[in-house]
Structure formats: C-alpha cells, structure tokens
C-alpha cells in the first residue's frame, strides 16, 4: 500500500511540474515582432538581412549580424530547426547575450556553432567565458572554441536539422539531431537569444522555448 501511495505521489508531482512548464513560440510564423536586429556597421536596413518567407525565418548571411529576442531568458529548453538554402555555410545560435553592441555583429554571449561540419561547437564571443575553457599558453584567441564531443551528424543541404539546447543555472547542454554534442558552464545565468547572419542564407523554423 505504501508503495502504491508513493507511486501516486510521484506521478502527481510529475504531472504538476509538467502542468506548470511554460512553452512559448519565439517565432509566430508571420513576422519578427518579438525580435531586435543588429547589422554590421549598419551597412544595410535590417529588413534586407532578416525576413519571413513561406512561414520560416530567412537570414541572408550578408552582412554579418544577428537577430535577438526582445526578452531575456534563463533556465529553459530551446528547440529549433535550421536548413541551408543554397549551400552548407555558416550561422549560429547565440545564448545568454549579456551585452548588445549597436553595429557590432559579435555580442558578449555564447555561440552554439552551426557552421557546416562544426554544429555543436561553443564559440566564446565578446569576452564571454565557460568554466571548461582552458586558455592556451600562447594566449586567448579572439574567438575561443570548445569543440563538440562527437563527429558531425548534420543533414545535407535542403534538409532540416534540429538543435535542442538546455540552459539550467548557467549550464548549457547542446544536442544536435538528437546527439549530445557539448556542455559548458556559464557564469552568466540570463540573457537574450540570437540567430546569426554570417556566410550565406539559412532558414529557421519551429523555435520553441520551454521554461524550466
């Protein structure tokens, strides 16, 4: 009887937690009303770099820059899909953006790399840091990298890839197409989320964030 009561209590607790988990769409499928935009040196209007076509976000990749959420987030699971349009090129997901610099395409934040062949690497932008990063003897490079754990498991051009990223009390865990690729511990616990323009056209869809 005690075991049955215990199992019932656990089931109720799990139901209660899941009931209060808040999931929101970061992209409504129609416009980019929940986002702000950075373009390198303000070379062109943001609408020439970031747009919505056929219900997906299209980031042109040139000039460099990023679009970022108007809200800041902490303790969440972010899920999204991306697909190359013409050729496998370069982009990234920016996490825990602590400082936005007008006209500067590289904020203070952690990048989950999406560059073809390297999806899942961490890139430390704008002076950001992860506890796991060890500075080389010859000094810290401009863009420090913590390499992904497994071989590349990305899909070909035209197919949709999926990133699942958990951020919990500063700890970042990255899955690419279901494979655990990286983990890192960030001292910054809260920040904006961004999508990068760099290299060439890329599409994004199904951006969902579940608060933990």
């Amino acid at each position: 009887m005690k075991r049955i009561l215990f199992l019932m209590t656990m089931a109720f607790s799990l139901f209660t937690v899941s009931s209060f988990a808040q999931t929101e769409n970061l992209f409504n499928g129609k416009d980019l009303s929940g986002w702000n935009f950075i373009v390198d040196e303000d070379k062109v209007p943001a609408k020439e770099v970031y747009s919505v076509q056929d219900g997906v976000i299209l980031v042109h990749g040139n000039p460099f820059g990023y679009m970022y959420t108007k809200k800041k987030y902490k303790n969440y699971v972010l899920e999204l899909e991306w697909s190359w349009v013409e050729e496998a090129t370069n982009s990234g997901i920016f996490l825990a953006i602590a400082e936005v610099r007008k006209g500067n395409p590289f904020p203070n934040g952690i990048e989950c790399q999406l560059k073809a062949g390297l999806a899942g690497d961490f890139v430390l932008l704008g002076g950001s840091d992860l506890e796991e990063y060890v500075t080389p003897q010859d000094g810290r490079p401009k863009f420090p990298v913590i390499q992904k754990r497994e071989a590349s498991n990305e899909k070909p051009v035209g197919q949709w890839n999926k990133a699942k990223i958990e951020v919990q009390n500063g700890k970042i865990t990255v899955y690419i197409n279901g494979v655990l690729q990286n983990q890192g511990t960030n001292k910054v616990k809260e920040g904006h989320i961004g999508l990068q323009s760099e290299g060439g056209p890329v599409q994004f869809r199904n951006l969902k964030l579940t608060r933990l």
Side-chain angles (χ1 to χ4, degrees):
M1 183 66 181
K2 290 183 178 180
R3 179 175 174 79
I4 293 175
L5 289 173
F6 173 77
L7 293 173
M8 291 177 65
T9 301
M10 289 297 295
F12 177 78
S13 298
L14 290 172
F15 173 77
T16 302
V17 171
S18 62
S19 296
F20 284 97
Q22 298 179 352
T23 298
E24 62 179 285
N25 293 319
L26 299 184
F27 169 52
N28 61 19
K30 300 177 182 178
D31 57 46
L32 301 176
S33 54
W35 298 79
N36 291 326
F37 311 95
I38 295 292
V39 176
D40 185 20
E41 298 180 350
D42 297 321
K43 293 175 181 175
V44 300
K47 64 182 180 180
E48 295 185 16
V49 184
Y50 316 99
S51 61
V52 177
Q53 295 187 12
D54 300 322
V56 302
I57 297 171
L58 176 62
V59 178
H60 288 268
N62 187 31
F64 283 11
Y66 61 98
M67 51 186 284
Y68 65 98
T69 56
K70 293 181 177 179
K71 296 180 183 178
K72 291 184 176 181
Y73 297 93
K74 63 179 180 180
N75 298 342
Y76 58 84
V77 174
L78 172 67
E79 297 178 88
L80 62 79
E81 294 175 292
W82 85 94
S83 175
W84 306 119
V85 178
E86 299 170 350
E87 60 179 339
T89 177
N90 197 356
S91 187
I93 303 166
F94 293 171
L95 306 163
I97 297 174
E99 181 183 358
V100 175
R101 301 157 181 166
K102 182 175 173 58
N104 187 331
F106 300 107
N108 182 303
I110 306 298
E111 177 184 356
C112 171
Q113 178 71 270
L114 297 184
K115 183 177 180 179
L118 300 177
D121 281 2
F122 285 134
V123 184
L124 312 185
L125 304 175
S128 64
D129 205 5
L130 294 175
E131 289 182 9
E132 292 76 7
Y133 179 71
V134 178
T135 302
Q137 291 185 351
D138 58 352
R140 179 183 171 108
K142 185 176 181 180
F143 297 108
V145 173
I146 298 178
Q147 294 182 341
K148 58 190 175 62
R149 298 182 175 190
E150 307 293 338
S152 173
N153 64 325
E154 302 154 42
K155 297 182 179 180
V157 174
Q159 295 187 25
W160 288 95
N161 295 276
K162 183 173 182 178
K164 180 179 179 181
I165 303 172
E166 179 178 323
V167 178
Q168 179 76 3
N169 296 323
K171 185 175 181 179
I172 304 171
T173 303
V174 174
Y175 296 86
I176 300 296
N177 292 324
V179 175
L180 174 62
Q181 286 288 16
N182 224 333
Q183 285 185 310
T185 308
N186 190 5
K187 63 182 179 181
V188 177
K189 305 296 191 294
E190 182 180 40
H192 303 281
I193 295 168
L195 302 176
Q196 188 185 34
S197 172
E198 180 181 2
V202 59
Q203 299 177 109
F204 294 94
R205 70 179 186 184
N206 296 332
L207 283 77
K208 295 183 179 181
L209 182 141
T210 303
R211 297 177 186 270
L212 299 175

